[in-house]
């Protein structure tokens, strides 16, 4: 894509590869990143060589050069209900800070399908699993970092045969039991995201709304292409979409985004807004390596507001 780029790639991409991990892994991707004290903490997904995923942890002083801890951070539970539902692996974490604690939502895979689990940590040393917070056939749950009228909110993505996989919102008073779900955003026919969309990074507040970086997928004769878009949700009512970018903000371009474990994928699970008005954006490249870049928050907001597209198709399917 020619012209001005909203997301500027870091010159040292990929910033993390399987070679940087001190235990045997085939991939390092789909990582969440958050600032904890004066460090950046990354929780990444890594495929083991049996095809199951674990979650590893890396730390950084500058948000770009990460050092991986010697052991995986979260591996499938050995017993109990989590053991039953995580038997095939734990994937695609997201981190959200609420009231001083960090909540991690991740995909739990098993013979029963994929559902979302919630864990909590205060220091990234000790982690406590709290609950499985969806039924089967859900992925990509991101929490909002504050309550709305006393209730927590999340964006989620149920799988369904009758509609394209879309972004929904649900509410909870305890982070465990969720309901009042509504469909907020869907892919548009013959658009870059026409196959499906899903939540990406934990939303962050801007003066014009919550900015949410999501992924959209286009099916080609040569397989699916995963790209990123941005949406703005009203600050006091995240169920109200203010605007969605008509164009993608990032697509696979670099060799390590176009080829790897799954080709032509950029997939985002984390973004860190900075005091200087930029946001660091993290994405998995081809489900194999971690990449990072930065963007001006105002430019992303403007891209949503100045070149918007409908959040949901109209009744004629457009
Ligand atoms: C999705 C998930 C992601 C992955 C993407 C591209 O369905 O499995 O974890 O990054 O496909 O393979």
């Amino acid at each position: 894509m020619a012209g001005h780029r909203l997301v500027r790639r870091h010159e040292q991409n990929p910033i993390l590869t399987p070679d940087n991990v001190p235990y045997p892994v085939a991939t390092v991707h789909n990582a969440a990143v958050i600032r904890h004290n004066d460090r950046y903490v990354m929780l990444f997904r890594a495929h083991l060589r049996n095809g199951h995923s674990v979650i590893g942890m890396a730390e950084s002083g500058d948000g770009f050069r990460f050092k991986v801890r010697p052991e995986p951070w979260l591996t499938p539970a050995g017993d109990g209900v989590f053991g039953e539902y995580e038997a095939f692996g734990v994937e695609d974490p997201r981190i959200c800070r609420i009231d001083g604690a960090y909540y991690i939502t991740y995909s739990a895979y098993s013979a029963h399908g994929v559902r979302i689990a919630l864990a909590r940590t205060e220091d990234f040393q000790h982690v406590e699993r709290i609950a499985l917070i969806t039924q089967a056939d859900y992925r990509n749950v991101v929490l909002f970092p504050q309550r709305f009228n006393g209730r927590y909110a999340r964006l989620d993505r149920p799988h369904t045969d009758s509609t394209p996989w879309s972004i929904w919102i649900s509410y909870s008073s305890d982070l465990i039991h969720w309901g009042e779900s509504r469909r907020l955003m869907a892919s548009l026919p013959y658009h870059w995201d026409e196959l499906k969309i899903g939540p990406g990074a934990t939303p962050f507040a801007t003066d014009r709304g919550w900015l949410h970086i999501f992924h959209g997928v286009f099916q080609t004769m040569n397989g699916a292409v995963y790209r990123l878009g941005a949406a703005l949700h009203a600050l006091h009512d995240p169920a109200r979409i203010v605007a969605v970018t008509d164009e993608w903000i990032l697509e696979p371009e670099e060799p390590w985004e176009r080829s790897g474990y799954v080709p032509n994928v950029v997939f985002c699970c984390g973004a860190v807004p900075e005091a200087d008005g930029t946001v660091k954006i993290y994405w998995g490249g081809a489900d194999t390596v971690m990449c990072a870049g930065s963007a001006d928050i105002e430019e992303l907001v403007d891209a949503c507001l100045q070149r918007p597209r409908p959040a949901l198709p109209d009744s004629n399917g457009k």
Side-chain angles (χ1 to χ4, degrees):
M1 196 176 72
H4 179 67
R5 282 162 195 269
L6 285 171
V7 181
R8 294 174 293 278
R9 287 175 166 83
H10 191 252
E11 60 274 11
Q12 265 140 32
N13 276 344
I15 60 165
L16 210 62
T17 75
D19 291 341
N20 304 131
V21 180
Y23 40 92
V25 295
T27 68
V28 174
H29 64 302
N30 297 3
V33 181
I34 200 162
R35 253 199 325 270
H36 169 53
N37 300 328
D38 55 351
R39 315 272 300 157
Y40 294 78
V41 171
M42 171 188 280
L43 297 180
F44 59 83
R45 170 180 174 191
H47 277 103
L48 304 178
R49 291 177 183 167
N50 63 2
H52 293 189
S53 293
V54 298
I55 294 175
M57 177 178 161
E59 286 167 284
S60 168
D62 67 0
F64 295 116
R65 280 168 301 164
F66 282 87
K67 187 166 173 12
V68 180
R69 279 209 188 160
E71 303 290 334
W73 192 75
L74 193 81
T75 57
D79 52 22
V81 68
F82 290 99
E84 184 177 351
Y85 286 96
E86 295 179 1
F88 292 171
V90 289
E91 304 186 354
D92 296 3
R94 272 82 173 187
I95 311 169
C96 183
R97 185 163 197 251
I98 308 175
D99 298 339
Y102 300 98
Y103 291 87
I104 295 105
T105 47
Y106 60 94
S107 301
Y109 259 96
S110 72
H112 308 300
V114 58
R115 53 195 301 206
I116 297 295
L118 177 71
R120 180 181 188 279
T121 184
E122 287 182 10
D123 52 12
F124 291 95
Q125 305 288 340
H126 304 101
V127 56
E128 171 200 7
R129 285 173 168 86
I130 297 178
L132 288 144
I133 58 169
T134 68
Q135 301 174 345
D137 298 336
Y138 271 83
R139 293 180 51 86
N140 307 315
V141 165
V142 299
L143 301 172
F144 281 87
Q146 67 167 61
R147 295 178 188 77
F148 302 91
N149 296 321
R151 292 179 314 164
Y152 300 98
R154 76 182 190 196
L155 301 176
D156 52 34
R157 213 285 303 280
H159 305 181
T160 140
D161 285 341
S162 51
T163 50
W165 299 1
S166 311
I167 296 176
W168 292 60
I169 193 165
S170 306
Y171 296 93
S172 173
S173 52
D174 60 5
L175 287 171
I176 296 173
H177 305 93
W178 293 84
E180 288 184 53
S181 303
R182 281 176 52 198
R183 187 171 175 239
L184 298 187
M185 263 175 66
S187 46
L188 295 187
Y190 218 78
H191 218 68
W192 62 269
D193 62 2
E194 81 167 351
L195 183 68
K196 57 178 178 172
I197 59 172
T202 297
F204 59 92
T206 75
D207 54 0
R208 287 180 282 173
W210 294 96
L211 193 74
H212 172 226
I213 296 169
F214 64 96
H215 67 264
V217 186
F218 187 81
Q219 187 68 44
T220 74
M221 295 300 282
N222 194 27
V225 181
Y226 278 70
R227 300 183 174 99
L228 303 181
L232 268 184
H233 298 238
L235 277 181
H236 299 293
D237 177 10
R240 190 165 73 76
I241 304 274
V242 178
V244 184
T245 48
D246 187 49
E247 300 175 355
W248 65 73
I249 62 165
L250 190 79
E251 69 158 343
E253 285 179 286
E254 299 286 357
W256 48 85
E257 296 165 346
R258 300 187 62 171
S259 106
Y261 196 84
V262 180
N264 293 318
V265 175
V266 292
F267 193 93
C268 178
C269 293
V272 178
E274 303 286 2
D276 66 359
T278 64
V279 55
K280 291 186 175 64
I281 301 174
Y282 298 88
W283 62 91
D287 283 5
T288 309
V289 296
M290 272 312 296
C291 306
S294 53
D296 288 323
I297 294 171
E298 287 295 297
E299 286 187 11
L300 291 177
V301 169
D302 286 343
C304 295
L305 293 170
Q306 290 169 6
R307 297 184 298 281
R309 66 107 197 260
L312 290 167
D314 66 23
S315 49
N316 298 320
K318 288 189 297 226

